[in-house]
Amino acid sequence: MYNKNMIKLSPKLSQKIMYVVLALSTAIVIIPVLLIVFIIIKNGWSAISWEFLTSMPTDGMRAGGILPAILGTLSIVACAICITLPVGVCAAIYLNEYAKDNLLTRIIKLAIVNLAGVPSVVYGLFGMGIFVMLLGFGVSIIAGALTLSIMELPVIITTARGALNSVPYSFREASWSLGVSKWQTIRRIVLPNALPGIMTGAILSISRISGETAPILFTAAAFYVPHLPHSMFDQVMALPYHLYIISTQIPNMPKNIIFGTALVLLMMVLSMSLFAIVARLYFRKKRKW
């Protein structure tokens, strides 16, 4: 019921109030992130050196470098994205461009959304049961990469479908009216225009799996490996697991080594995110709509 005694705010005052509320909400999100980054840089910068980045750990991982962990992380993530990206994009193309809207496809789409919310430790246990034990890959790069690829597949499919949906349907109709086949239209018209969104989703997905610990804990990561990997079936050290070990399992661990390892992992993730932004801007400029 309308109350005549209610205070009526002018449009300008309402706008100012909402601006302040939104600015405070943004600050609440950004300030903790900046504090975390500042603390990591402040405490870990002294550990960063060429030797730290390019040498093997020594003295029970209390000294030396983190080269095996860096290479192990890069190898697992590179293999995972090489598996996930083609499969995820192809699945997205089928669901968005070919599949009919029926009960089966709706169930599949719902399952994809639900799989994106499954905890990563569950994927780790699944990978250990299937790839490590059943298929006999053992604790290895390929087992970890396959586990991470399954974990990120729902994200890639969802992102790719969103990018494909963003391409105006009139582009498809114009191509079909010229007698071009459906696949040629997808390959030459739809995919090039959807590429910015697909690439951004893929690279942000890479930055996410770079920091995952639980899936590789069961399938790929080792406490300490005194050599670099020689094949896809070797165990490796990985930065997230290495950081967990030196933070919780090794007594009298130098503080700067812990934060230095965290800083390297953070810079790796931030670099991938920055690359995603630059790639998106580049491909957006090449779009003609």
Side-chain angles (χ1 to χ4, degrees):
M1 183 176 180
Y2 178 73
N3 188 352
K4 295 181 179 180
N5 297 323
M6 291 178 62
I7 299 174
K8 295 181 70 175
L9 299 177
S10 66
K12 289 185 178 180
L13 181 58
S14 300
Q15 182 175 342
K16 289 180 179 179
I17 291 173
M18 287 309 302
Y19 176 81
V20 172
V21 171
L22 294 174
L24 288 174
S25 301
T26 305
I28 290 171
V29 174
I30 293 176
I31 290 174
V33 176
L34 294 177
L35 285 175
I36 292 171
V37 173
F38 173 75
I39 292 170
I40 292 175
I41 293 175
K42 178 184 176 183
N43 292 285
W45 185 255
S46 60
I48 303 299
S49 65
W50 182 250
E51 180 184 0
F52 183 70
L53 298 174
T54 59
S55 62
M56 305 289 288
T58 58
D59 190 24
M61 290 193 283
R62 295 183 183 86
I66 56 172
L67 178 62
I70 294 174
L71 293 180
T73 300
L74 291 176
S75 61
I76 294 172
V77 171
C79 290
I81 202 63
C82 287
I83 297 169
T84 309
L85 191 56
V87 176
V89 172
C90 289
I93 291 172
Y94 174 76
L95 291 172
N96 199 72
E97 304 293 331
Y98 288 98
K100 295 180 180 179
D101 186 16
N102 53 34
L103 179 61
L104 178 60
T105 55
R106 287 197 290 269
I107 291 174
I108 292 173
K109 292 173 184 177
L110 179 62
I112 291 170
V113 173
N114 290 333
L115 284 173
V118 175
S120 58
V121 66
V122 176
Y123 284 105
L125 290 171
F126 172 81
M128 181 179 67
I130 299 297
F131 303 122
V132 176
M133 296 180 178
L134 182 63
L135 297 181
F137 292 154
V139 179
S140 60
I141 294 173
I142 188 63
L146 288 168
T147 303
L148 289 177
S149 66
I150 291 175
M151 188 181 75
E152 282 306 298
L153 197 56
V155 178
I156 295 289
I157 294 174
T158 304
T159 305
R161 284 191 63 224
L164 292 168
N165 274 326
S166 68
V167 180
Y169 194 76
S170 58
F171 285 18
R172 299 169 175 83
E173 291 179 330
S175 178
W176 296 334
S177 67
L178 296 174
V180 180
S181 68
K182 191 166 188 175
W183 170 241
Q184 287 176 322
T185 300
I186 293 171
R187 184 165 59 91
R188 297 182 180 180
I189 305 297
V190 179
L191 276 179
N193 286 288
L195 192 59
I198 294 173
M199 281 198 62
T200 302
I203 296 170
L204 292 177
S205 162
I206 294 172
S207 64
R208 180 197 169 190
I209 63 177
S210 299
E212 288 290 347
T213 304
I216 60 174
L217 172 65
F218 298 108
T219 58
F223 179 82
Y224 174 66
V225 178
H227 56 79
L228 299 179
H230 300 294
S231 74
M232 300 296 294
F233 296 94
D234 286 348
Q235 277 186 304
V236 289
M237 296 176 66
L239 278 174
Y241 185 53
H242 179 71
L243 180 59
Y244 166 74
I245 291 295
I246 63 177
S247 303
T248 61
Q249 306 296 319
I250 300 179
N252 303 319
M253 188 71 192
K255 181 179 175 183
N256 66 328
I257 298 294
I258 296 174
F259 280 96
T261 304
L263 179 58
V264 172
L265 180 59
L266 179 65
M267 290 299 105
M268 185 182 295
V269 173
L270 290 179
S271 298
M272 293 176 184
S273 300
L274 179 61
F275 181 76
I277 295 171
V278 173
R280 186 178 183 88
L281 291 175
Y282 172 76
F283 284 107
R284 267 186 175 178
K285 288 181 180 179
K286 294 185 71 175
R287 283 199 312 199
K288 298 179 182 179
W289 55 280

